[in-house]
Amino acid sequence: MDAETRYNALFAEAYPTLQRYARYRGLRGDDAEDLVAETLTVAWRRLADVPVDEPIPWLVAVARNLWRNDRRRDGRRRRLAVGLPVAAAALPADEVAGTSQSVVLRAMAGLSEVDQEVLRLVVWEGFSAAQAGVVLGCSAGAVRVRLHRARTRLAEALEGAGVVVGVGETCASLATGPGHENTAKETADEPLT
Amino acid sequence: MNLLPERDPLLEAVLAARPDVEPAAVDPESPRALALRGRITAAEPSPVHEPIPALARRGRPGSHRRRLVVAAAAAAVLAVVATVSGGGLGLDGPTPAAASIEDVAAASQDMAQGSGRATVTYDEHWADGLAVTGEVAFSGGDVEMTLLRDGGRSGLPSQPSRESGYRIVDGKLYERHDGGPWIHNDLRDDNSNELPGFDPRTVLEVLQTGAGFTVVGDEELDGRPVRHLRAGHPEVLHDVLSDLDIGVWEVQPDQFEGLDVWVGLDDDVVYRLDFDVDRPGEAPVAFPIEPGEPCPDGSTPFGDQRIVDETGDEPVVQDGPRCRASDEPARVTGTYSIRFHDLGGPITVTSPPGSTEMTDTPG
């Protein structure tokens, strides 16, 4: 397989994940497109180093490094302008305050960057521990640790907001939005109890 | 393998809250995407060698050795409840109080939610050696630790003892060194006001797999009947410590040895944990000496600088000679031990008076 053929296949596979990653990071418009473009440019230039078996975590790790290096260069201005909360960046314009989705997003936005990232990678992107470890630069065991901590802190944050997600809650009772193909949509916009 | 447990309503709620991204933005066949792909491959006729963006390394405050000590204290406790997922590890032995390591983890987790104390000892052997003792008091989310570092087994006057204090009160971190002023440090990225790896109870949040505990035997610890367990895979400590973001990155998985825990037979709580480290150190090994004094082995002092204070972000260096302890690369061996005691007692951790808040904003 020649380089360009391989790259085109890699591009098609990675593009959706990288676009989502940029947006979950709170980037919008040109900023999101720039991050994706830079990452995919690196992929082209270092195609020989891109893992054949699991290229996506490797590329997300590159995107992560690019984003963080860019943030460090810009220093305080970047932190204030770009960083989170995800909730504010992700809520649709017609979001009704107090819906389950917004409650969870706001609780997530109050977590540390480390906690948010592991939740995004594992829960939103479905990465395994090993895959998330490639992105985060740590072992699979460490990812499990981080996920446990993030989950605990999120539960505490939701409890602080008066929301308790109890054992036995079904997806149907959680507010959902379009595109969540893995969740039941029988009941929408019911508050978490 | 799906990392998510089969039924976790909280994580399902997180998944349900995932923001939507417009389909056109993620379509690799969209005109925008195809244009991007074309620009990339056209700009470079074939892949060339470019450095892969790596995270710019930041200097970490504090001396390497101090952070290693802090790491050791927490690591010692962190490893205690390594568990095996799925079927768990059977603990052999007569009438086990804990049917599995998961029971130990659960019981110890319950203990950690309350109050108690812990004593940490750290005995490192290299050059003239290093011994650290730490006393920890915890109560809910608050924790206090005092570390006393004795840097000179040989008793050289150039190796003074050092004392460091840390407190977390209401989510704020305070620290001081050698009796200096308390400072509130909020310069830690990502986890402001959280000092990872310092609270020995953090181990109880860890549910690691693969430690492989087996029963050594039943013993008595401080008058309490306990079951002594030994891990077949102490290298799990490496994963746990790595996540703590503390300065033990040079300790590789195969350099952790002898992870042991002692579990109360009547309550399944971990009361003691030990582990050892055996790793190569820096070379050559040298230590500072007072001007005019000879080296203990009779050799001639060398150099004209010595480090007199490593507690800050940058070591303070003064003129002064050093003695070479060895021409060979050092071998660093260390034994770490932590003991929990006075569990459930009345403990209050208070914020120190008159602390100075450090920020990165001007004015």
Side-chain angles (χ1 to χ4, degrees), chain A residues 8 16 19 24 44-46 65 69 72 76 90 112 124 139 145-146 148-149 151 153-154 169 178 180, chain B residues 7-8 14 16 18-20 25-26 37 44 47-48 50 53-54 56 58 190-191 194 205 208 239 243 360:
Chain A
N8 290 344
Q19 286 285 3
Y24 294 162
W44 173 244
R45 290 174 174 169
R46 296 303 297 262
N65 288 340
N69 286 338
R72 290 185 199 286
R76 174 162 295 277
S112 69
W124 286 357
S139 68
V145 173
R146 294 187 184 192
H148 173 80
R149 288 178 178 167
R151 189 199 173 287
R153 291 173 189 142
L154 179 63
E169 280 289 335
H180 296 289
Chain B
R7 284 291 302 151
D8 188 324
V14 172
R18 183 178 62 185
D20 298 318
V26 299
R37 192 181 75 188
E44 301 286 350
V48 299
E50 283 276 339
R58 288 172 292 129
D190 299 334
N191 285 289
E194 178 175 325
E205 301 174 7
Q208 288 287 0
D239 290 344
D243 180 60
D360 59 351

Side-chain angles (χ1 to χ4, degrees), chain B residues 211-216 228-233 258-262:
Chain B
F213 283 103
T214 57
V215 177
V216 176
H228 178 183
L229 309 178
R230 177 164 295 153
H233 301 285
L259 171 58
D260 290 61
V261 300
W262 287 260

Side-chain angles (χ1 to χ4, degrees), chain A residues 50-109:
Chain A
V50 178
V52 174
D53 291 334
E54 291 200 346
I56 304 303
W58 191 91
L59 285 171
V60 175
V62 170
R64 182 175 186 262
N65 288 340
L66 286 168
W67 179 82
R68 295 185 77 178
N69 286 338
D70 189 48
R71 188 176 78 157
R72 290 185 199 286
R73 278 194 298 271
D74 287 357
R76 174 162 295 277
R77 181 187 67 78
R78 173 66 70 173
R79 283 200 296 274
L80 291 175
V82 172
L84 315 172
V86 171
L91 287 176
D94 58 351
E95 172 68 24
V96 177
T99 61
S100 302
Q101 184 184 28
S102 67
V103 168
V104 172
L105 286 176
R106 288 195 176 89
M108 282 182 65

Side-chain angles (χ1 to χ4, degrees), chain A residues 54 57-58 121-122 126-144, chain B residues 1-3:
Chain A
E54 291 200 346
W58 191 91
L121 291 172
V122 172
F127 278 20
S128 68
Q131 291 171 332
V134 171
V135 177
L136 301 174
C138 64
S139 68
V143 170
R144 295 188 187 94
Chain B
M1 181 178 73
N2 190 352
L3 186 60

Side-chain angles (χ1 to χ4, degrees), chain B residues 274-300:
Chain B
D274 291 359
F275 74 91
D276 301 303
V277 167
D278 187 342
R279 63 177 180 85
E282 301 83 11
V285 176
F287 52 88
I289 196 169
E290 291 298 325
E293 292 191 6
C295 294
D297 64 354
S299 62
T300 303

